[in-house]
Amino acid sequence: MYEKRNTENYTETLANPLKSLTRAQFAALGGSAVAYVRPVGGDVLSAMIEESEFNTDEVYQLVMSADGTPLLVTDTEDAVSEWLGTRNLGLATVH
């Protein structure tokens, strides 16, 4: 039986072009059409957004565009779902 295996040399020549993109190039792929939702602690938000105070013991939902622009901060997943329902955005999951 013939078994096809990728050799080390073969896999090196097939580098994924996405791995060579700069942060700006990668962000531009989604532009303003892709967003992601991430749970974030109040202490992180207070550091991100100057002149704001968030409860450090609470977890908030942060929606950001692919280019890193914050779009929405809320305290419930339902509010995120409602807000996204009125926008024409693709949602990317973050693992």
Side-chain angles (χ1 to χ4, degrees):
M1 177 183 324
Y2 177 74
E3 187 174 328
K4 183 179 179 182
R5 291 187 180 180
N6 292 337
T7 65
E8 188 174 316
N9 292 337
Y10 178 74
T11 56
E12 287 176 8
T13 61
L14 294 178
N16 188 325
L18 292 177
K19 291 184 178 181
S20 64
L21 293 177
T22 65
R23 289 178 67 102
Q25 290 170 326
F26 189 75
L29 288 176
S32 60
V34 176
Y36 65 92
V37 180
R38 179 178 171 193
V40 176
D43 54 338
V44 174
L45 286 174
S46 293
M48 284 178 61
I49 304 170
E50 294 180 16
E51 299 181 18
S52 63
E53 291 184 27
F54 292 92
N55 184 346
T56 57
D57 297 331
E58 194 165 341
V59 175
Y60 297 88
Q61 302 299 314
L62 173 63
V63 181
M64 294 186 74
S65 68
D67 66 2
T69 304
L71 300 174
L72 175 73
V73 175
T74 184
D75 57 350
T76 66
E77 291 180 15
D78 289 340
V80 170
S81 296
E82 185 178 320
W83 186 83
L84 288 172
T86 63
R87 306 291 188 284
N88 189 21
L89 293 171
L91 188 61
T93 58
V94 177
H95 300 277

